[in-house]
Amino acid sequence: MKDAGGGKGLITLLTDFGLKDGYVGALKGVILSINPAATIIDLSHDISPQNILQGAHVLSQAAPFFPKDTIHVAVIDPGVGTSSRHPILVETSRYLFVGPDNGIFELVLQSEKVRRVIHLSNREFFLKDVSHTFHGRDIFAPVAAYLSLGVDPAGFGKKNGRIKKHRLERPRTNKGIITGTIIHIDRFGNIITNIQKDFIAPAKPGKFILKVGDRVIKKLVGTYGKAERGETVALIGSNGMLEIAKRDGSAALELASGPGQRVTVRILK
Amino acid sequence: MKDAGGGKGLITLLTDFGLKDGYVGALKGVILSINPAATIIDLSHDISPQNILQGAHVLSQAAPFFPKDTIHVAVIDPGVGTSSRHPILVETSRYLFVGPDNGIFELVLQSEKVRRVIHLSNREFFLKDVSHTFHGRDIFAPVAAYLSLGVDPAGFGKKNGRIKKHRLERPRTNKGIITGTIIHIDRFGNIITNIQKDFIAPAKPGKFILKVGDRVIKKLVGTYGKAERGETVALIGSNGMLEIAKRDGSAALELASGPGQRVTVRILK
Amino acid sequence: MKDAGGGKGLITLLTDFGLKDGYVGALKGVILSINPAATIIDLSHDISPQNILQGAHVLSQAAPFFPKDTIHVAVIDPGVGTSSRHPILVETSRYLFVGPDNGIFELVLQSEKVRRVIHLSNREFFLKDVSHTFHGRDIFAPVAAYLSLGVDPAGFGKKNGRIKKHRLERPRTNKGIITGTIIHIDRFGNIITNIQKDFIAPAKPGKFILKVGDRVIKKLVGTYGKAERGETVALIGSNGMLEIAKRDGSAALELASGPGQRVTVRILK
């Protein structure tokens, strides 16, 4: 299946299944039973259970680095087995995304050109017995495997044309104050916000004021190394988002911050 | 090695090694040194240290989804380096299983047709220096790699014909009461028992009484979504086993339950 | 890219990124975008944040089992974005190593023949925008991918000829007393020292005295199974290093020991 010019046959997996149970293994078995030549890459299986915002962030950070034609499967799916969310397939100019229509693709699609949205309904491409609780294994994995074999997206169900709007917050600017949200705490305790670097670009030294809870941070640096030991600073992280980091420590512990919390930034002239 | 019709060259790994040490990496290096074209898939490396029952469950849940001819290696091996357990190779009509003869294969083999059981003794297929403490790297990994190259199972040792009987408990029915055991707590706090759906199939709404410790659960649902928020219910999980789940919470924390605990079920007529 | 005689196209990854963020996924996406036929193997991503000694140990334990021509990428990089460490490429008679020049390769290179050390400076082989904080993705991953395509090491920068000396401690012998350091606590609570088996080889039963903190251990066994239940003993581990292990328990908890602590051994005649 491999093709030097792209990601044909390449499937990435993002779930909240963890690695201590057999769930991820079952997914891979299903894929390889349909397409033994597929290459499967784990993005993460350690998204906090049912945390769509965190999953959406991790997906948006990793997916864009993959080659054209990669199939990205994301299964953070608190509504599994209910009629409140549809299983979907989103085709963009670069990738195919497979998962529940619950907001998990909202961030990554901001930098993609969507071509088609298909509601997955053709049971021919599902496992024979679809359980109520494990659509990752029974629907999303086999659909991804058939896609990797070259089946046309149109074959998987009805073209719907749109994705449900979800409530993943975006930053906004009002009277010179940028208001954003903490979307992720990474392994190093760095606090990652949804404020892109474009919002911050005009900041000059000494002209930056960030507030989170009752804490104020005025130092915006180019790299961790520019902070003093133990100092908490703001910087543009490797994914182009505003982050708060503590040199040789955890900013999240220091500020007692977590996903969902509001952050405001004022840029002085 | 790849073959569109099956899992030739496909090796899965299940261990209790965790991922913070170099043990899993060493296993993969040994396999790829013998067969660079092998495809290696991790089932899990986060089985609790030396927990054979948990490993047996995860293996039985994931292995059956893999294509024919897949080689499944399982190394949860508290008796390593002692004479109390043999390294074995089990050939079934679909798969090859490699690991210690300590019960780790007992659950997965319930749905397989065993053809041959070989006691691994031919040192030609082991690493040159077999350590006392790491048979995963020194025996099981190289044996799996040579199997993936097509070496006949008979070459690895003496055909013994049987596997030791172990004490992994199976459910039993007595005077209308089904008695089973909790075999696993998954990442979401779901309590998974060893009671298969066939035992529960005749249950009608309102005719189901489950007891675990001093708690009674009477609600048997088809899917998590059918439980009220915060409610604890029974259901048949994605692997066909009776589970106890709490909507938007952890049933294991709620019931203070863990692997090994007894569960009884009564089905009223 | 695969070649039955070696590890051509095989890239291993060792980082302290953890698996809950998208960092590892991004690395893999970068590699596969440059060489879709690369085979990527995870050694570990759960090295404690910025713990170079632990990473060096895990690398030295797993890397030597990989086939010739394998490319080993290691990113434990507390100095990222500062001028205090160079990104390097080390070519040995068997492998290629890519990562920061901060001591991470010091242990693994003890058993390798170094041919060339290159300072990575040719930006043609980096991602277009090199961030200050994520050289794993922007420098080390693309360099490894181009190496896997067969680009000559000389093309990546200036041949420097030497690696910085770091302070990873080595054991020494003085007046019959061997002094070493604890370099790693593994998942099972085993205490792994930097004292190789050659130092211990002459020990006869009853002639071995190990001291760590205020505890003395006199029992040196061949395998865990030779210890009584609950007993704490010394043994040569699977990687040829002196270890302290507790049968059915954690030696590290028992002795309240951790990486960096001193261990002394006296061998009586």
Side-chain angles (χ1 to χ4, degrees):
Chain A
M1 287 302 299
K2 280 168 181 172
D3 173 329
K8 287 244 171 58
L10 183 59
I11 297 171
T12 77
L13 302 179
L14 179 85
T15 76
D16 61 354
F17 297 167
L19 289 167
K20 81 183 186 87
D21 308 310
Y23 303 130
V24 172
L27 244 72
K28 294 180 179 177
V30 167
I31 291 170
L32 293 167
S33 291
I34 293 167
N35 181 6
T39 297
I40 303 171
I41 298 286
D42 299 307
L43 291 194
S44 174
H45 299 291
D46 285 339
I47 304 301
S48 305
Q50 315 198 339
N51 191 331
I52 294 171
L53 181 59
Q54 189 194 353
H57 168 70
V58 170
L59 184 63
S60 73
Q61 183 176 20
F65 289 95
F66 279 81
K68 198 168 179 304
D69 296 329
T70 297
I71 298 157
H72 295 292
V73 179
V75 195
I76 290 95
D77 199 7
V80 63
T82 67
S83 58
S84 67
R85 106 286 178 260
H86 283 284
I88 56 167
L89 156 58
V90 181
E91 185 188 31
T92 72
S93 56
R94 294 198 297 169
Y95 301 129
L96 293 156
F97 296 91
V98 178
D101 184 11
N102 63 10
I104 185 70
F105 299 123
E106 193 153 312
L107 296 179
V108 75
L109 291 180
Q110 288 177 19
S111 54
E112 297 292 322
K113 278 182 203 143
V114 174
R115 281 191 184 150
R116 287 189 276 189
V117 178
I118 310 284
H119 277 204
L120 300 173
S121 59
N122 187 347
R123 300 181 71 89
E124 188 186 333
F125 298 113
F126 300 171
L127 286 204
K128 257 176 223 160
D129 298 310
V130 173
S131 69
H132 292 292
T133 54
F134 197 0
H135 286 185
R137 182 191 66 195
D138 302 340
I139 295 181
F140 301 126
V143 163
Y146 284 112
L147 281 170
S148 78
L149 285 171
V151 174
D152 188 281
F156 292 90
K158 210 170 62 176
K159 188 176 157 182
N160 179 279
R162 63 195 172 75
I163 301 170
K164 254 174 97 170
K165 277 288 164 204
H166 298 280
R167 295 145 307 162
L168 300 188
E169 283 190 45
R170 300 191 190 179
R172 57 180 195 283
T173 303
N174 189 15
K175 295 182 185 169
I177 295 176
I178 306 150
T179 302
T181 306
I182 295 175
I183 52 177
H184 189 56
I185 306 298
D186 80 4
R187 169 179 171 84
F188 304 96
N190 299 320
I191 297 169
I192 295 157
T193 77
N194 65 344
I195 302 174
Q196 294 101 329
K197 65 179 166 190
D198 299 348
F199 286 84
I200 305 301
K204 296 196 189 72
K207 302 293 188 181
F208 172 92
I209 301 167
L210 179 151
K211 285 187 188 171
V212 52
D214 55 2
R215 281 287 299 267
V216 176
I217 292 163
K218 296 190 174 179
K219 191 162 175 180
L220 177 69
V221 298
T223 165
Y224 296 126
K226 288 289 176 1
E228 308 292 324
R229 293 191 158 264
E231 192 183 20
T232 301
V233 297
L235 76 165
I236 301 300
S238 58
N239 57 345
M241 303 299 219
L242 181 67
E243 293 184 19
I244 306 163
K246 182 179 179 176
R247 175 101 187 262
D248 305 316
S250 163
L253 283 177
E254 166 80 17
L255 304 183
S257 291
Q261 196 177 358
R262 177 168 298 189
V263 173
T264 63
V265 174
R266 182 188 287 266
I267 311 286
L268 306 177
K269 308 215 170 142
Chain B
M1 287 299 300
K2 279 169 181 171
D3 173 331
K8 287 242 172 59
L10 184 58
I11 297 171
T12 77
L13 301 179
L14 179 85
T15 76
D16 61 353
F17 297 166
L19 290 168
K20 81 183 185 88
D21 308 310
Y23 302 131
V24 171
L27 245 71
K28 294 180 179 178
V30 168
I31 291 171
L32 292 167
S33 291
I34 294 168
N35 180 6
T39 298
I40 303 172
I41 298 286
D42 299 307
L43 290 193
S44 175
H45 299 292
D46 284 341
I47 303 301
S48 305
Q50 314 199 340
N51 190 332
I52 294 171
L53 181 59
Q54 189 194 352
H57 168 70
V58 170
L59 185 63
S60 73
Q61 183 176 20
F65 289 95
F66 278 81
K68 195 167 181 305
D69 296 328
T70 297
I71 298 158
H72 295 293
V73 179
V75 195
I76 290 96
D77 198 7
V80 64
T82 68
S83 59
S84 67
R85 106 287 177 259
H86 283 285
I88 56 167
L89 156 57
V90 182
E91 186 189 31
T92 71
S93 56
R94 295 198 296 171
Y95 301 128
L96 292 156
F97 296 91
V98 178
D101 185 11
N102 62 9
I104 186 70
F105 299 125
E106 193 153 311
L107 295 179
V108 75
L109 291 179
Q110 287 177 19
S111 54
E112 296 293 321
K113 278 182 204 142
V114 174
R115 281 192 183 148
R116 288 190 276 190
V117 178
I118 310 283
H119 276 204
L120 300 173
S121 59
N122 188 347
R123 300 181 71 89
E124 188 187 332
F125 299 113
F126 300 171
L127 287 205
K128 256 176 224 161
D129 298 311
V130 172
S131 69
H132 292 292
T133 55
F134 197 0
H135 286 186
R137 182 192 65 194
D138 302 340
I139 296 181
F140 302 126
V143 163
Y146 285 112
L147 281 170
S148 78
L149 285 172
V151 174
D152 188 282
F156 292 90
K158 210 171 63 175
K159 188 175 157 182
N160 180 280
R162 64 196 171 74
I163 300 170
K164 251 175 99 170
K165 276 289 162 203
H166 299 279
R167 294 146 307 163
L168 300 188
E169 283 191 44
R170 299 190 192 181
R172 58 180 195 280
T173 304
N174 188 15
K175 295 182 184 171
I177 295 175
I178 306 149
T179 302
T181 305
I182 296 174
I183 52 177
H184 190 56
I185 306 297
D186 79 6
R187 169 177 169 85
F188 303 96
N190 299 319
I191 297 168
I192 295 159
T193 77
N194 65 345
I195 302 175
Q196 296 101 327
K197 65 179 166 190
D198 299 347
F199 285 85
I200 304 301
K204 295 194 190 72
K207 302 291 189 183
F208 172 92
I209 301 167
L210 179 151
K211 284 186 188 170
V212 51
D214 55 3
R215 280 289 298 267
V216 176
I217 292 163
K218 296 190 173 178
K219 191 162 177 180
L220 178 68
V221 298
T223 165
Y224 297 126
K226 289 288 177 358
E228 309 292 324
R229 292 190 159 265
E231 191 183 22
T232 301
V233 297
L235 76 165
I236 300 301
S238 57
N239 58 344
M241 302 299 219
L242 182 67
E243 293 184 19
I244 305 164
K246 182 178 180 177
R247 175 101 186 261
D248 305 315
S250 163
L253 282 178
E254 166 80 17
L255 304 184
S257 290
Q261 197 178 358
R262 177 168 298 190
V263 173
T264 63
V265 174
R266 182 187 286 267
I267 311 286
L268 306 177
K269 306 215 172 141
Chain C
M1 287 302 300
K2 280 169 180 171
D3 173 328
K8 286 244 171 59
L10 184 58
I11 297 171
T12 77
L13 302 179
L14 179 85
T15 76
D16 60 354
F17 297 167
L19 290 167
K20 80 184 186 86
D21 308 310
Y23 303 129
V24 172
L27 244 71
K28 294 181 179 177
V30 167
I31 291 170
L32 293 167
S33 290
I34 294 167
N35 181 6
T39 298
I40 303 171
I41 298 286
D42 299 307
L43 291 193
S44 175
H45 299 291
D46 284 340
I47 303 302
S48 304
Q50 315 197 338
N51 190 330
I52 294 170
L53 181 59
Q54 189 194 352
H57 168 69
V58 170
L59 184 64
S60 74
Q61 183 176 20
F65 290 95
F66 279 80
K68 196 167 180 304
D69 296 328
T70 296
I71 298 157
H72 295 292
V73 179
V75 195
I76 290 95
D77 198 7
V80 63
T82 68
S83 59
S84 67
R85 105 284 180 263
H86 283 286
I88 55 166
L89 157 57
V90 182
E91 186 188 30
T92 71
S93 56
R94 294 198 296 170
Y95 301 128
L96 293 156
F97 297 90
V98 178
D101 185 11
N102 62 11
I104 186 71
F105 299 124
E106 192 152 313
L107 295 179
V108 74
L109 291 179
Q110 288 176 18
S111 54
E112 297 292 322
K113 278 182 205 143
V114 174
R115 281 191 184 151
R116 287 190 276 189
V117 178
I118 310 284
H119 276 204
L120 300 174
S121 60
N122 187 348
R123 299 181 72 89
E124 187 187 333
F125 298 113
F126 300 171
L127 286 204
K128 255 174 227 161
D129 298 311
V130 173
S131 69
H132 291 292
T133 55
F134 197 0
H135 286 185
R137 181 192 66 194
D138 302 339
I139 295 180
F140 302 126
V143 163
Y146 284 112
L147 281 170
S148 78
L149 285 172
V151 175
D152 187 282
F156 292 90
K158 210 172 62 176
K159 189 176 158 180
N160 180 280
R162 62 193 175 77
I163 301 170
K164 251 175 100 171
K165 277 288 164 204
H166 299 280
R167 294 145 307 161
L168 300 188
E169 283 190 44
R170 300 192 190 179
R172 58 180 196 279
T173 303
N174 189 15
K175 295 183 185 169
I177 295 176
I178 305 149
T179 302
T181 305
I182 296 175
I183 52 176
H184 190 56
I185 306 298
D186 79 6
R187 169 178 170 86
F188 304 96
N190 299 319
I191 297 167
I192 296 158
T193 77
N194 65 344
I195 302 175
Q196 295 102 327
K197 65 179 167 189
D198 298 349
F199 286 84
I200 305 301
K204 295 197 189 73
K207 302 290 190 184
F208 172 91
I209 300 167
L210 179 150
K211 284 186 188 171
V212 51
D214 56 2
R215 281 287 299 266
V216 177
I217 292 163
K218 296 190 175 178
K219 192 163 177 178
L220 177 69
V221 299
T223 164
Y224 297 127
K226 288 288 176 0
E228 310 292 323
R229 293 191 157 264
E231 192 183 21
T232 300
V233 297
L235 76 166
I236 301 301
S238 57
N239 57 345
M241 302 299 218
L242 182 68
E243 292 184 20
I244 305 164
K246 182 180 180 175
R247 174 101 186 261
D248 306 316
S250 164
L253 282 178
E254 167 79 17
L255 304 185
S257 291
Q261 197 177 358
R262 177 169 298 191
V263 173
T264 62
V265 174
R266 182 188 286 268
I267 312 285
L268 306 177
K269 307 218 171 137

